[in-house]
Amino acid sequence: MAAVQQLYRFSGLNGLARKISTNSQPILYSNWSSSCSWRVRIALAIKDIDYEIKPTSLLKTVSDNAYTEEYRKVNPLQKVPALKIDGHKLCDSVAIMHYLEETRPQPALLPQDPVKRAKVREIVELICSGIQPLQNSSVLELIGKEQSLKWAQHWIARGFQGLEQVLSQSAGRCCVGDDLTMADICLVPQVRNARR
Ligand SMILES: O=C(O)/C=C/C(=O)CC(=O)CC(=O)O
């Protein structure tokens, strides 16, 4: 699908190579394996916002990890992503995407049409509330090794079955019509989660 290829180009997986420059540049606390961090990297790339990336490990044994007291001041839930931008500190990938959309409207990540906007939000919600939180690493750790694969597969399969039904009505080249939106930004990292 052309849109998916486009998103991979936008993914910022090569974000580590981004140069660190002035203080006024946004700072993204991100982890390569975090699908939520990936959403924000895609949004920043689509909107052509240059930023500094702070790789934030999810392993307590590695320095610059998310479980330090220092990072707790950045994100009280000690999750990635977090974005420092315009003198503010923002957490939660969906809230960050909306902030970017409202402060830097072009290229738009939401359609103009209210029905299409609602559909984008429905898909975002389906993925970001209905799938991703149920299969993220902190939840799977609590479920335990024996049950975690079955658990993750169950919620991912259930979510994608619902999603496919929604997309059969809404999609063109992208999730809603032919233009890239927040829905596509959330879909691609979730597909990667499902495959791994
Ligand atoms: O910012 C969010 O929307 C949610 C973040 C998380 O749940 C942490 C995380 O990185 C989980 C993941 O993407 O694998």
Side-chain angles (χ1 to χ4, degrees), residues 121-132 159 162-163 166:
R121 290 185 173 124
E122 179 184 328
I123 294 166
V124 167
E125 191 65 21
L126 196 157
I127 295 168
C128 301
S129 301
I131 307 178
Q132 186 273 329
L163 186 57
V166 174

Side-chain angles (χ1 to χ4, degrees), residues 27 29 70-77 81-92 95-96 99:
I27 298 174
Y29 295 80
E70 193 188 343
Y71 187 69
R72 193 201 291 274
K73 290 178 199 147
V74 178
N75 186 331
L77 282 184
L83 183 69
K84 286 185 177 168
I85 187 166
D86 303 335
H88 311 293
K89 184 195 65 170
L90 304 174
C91 300
D92 190 299
I96 293 171
Y99 177 81

Side-chain angles (χ1 to χ4, degrees), residues 31 33-40 58 75 78-82 91-96 128 132-133 135-138 192-193 196:
N31 183 275
S33 71
S34 151
S35 59
C36 302
S37 300
W38 194 0
R39 293 173 196 156
V40 175
L58 302 177
N75 186 331
Q78 297 182 288
K79 299 195 299 187
V80 282
C91 300
D92 190 299
S93 59
V94 177
I96 293 171
C128 301
Q132 186 273 329
Q135 52 82 83
N136 77 16
S137 53
S138 53
R192 196 277 312 263
N193 278 357
R196 76 179 171 185

Side-chain angles (χ1 to χ4, degrees), residues 1 29 32 63 74-75 84 108 125 151 153 155 159-160 171 193:
M1 191 161 122
Y29 295 80
W32 67 270
S63 61
V74 178
N75 186 331
K84 286 185 177 168
E125 191 65 21
W151 171 279
Q153 283 173 343
W155 292 112
F160 272 113
N193 278 357

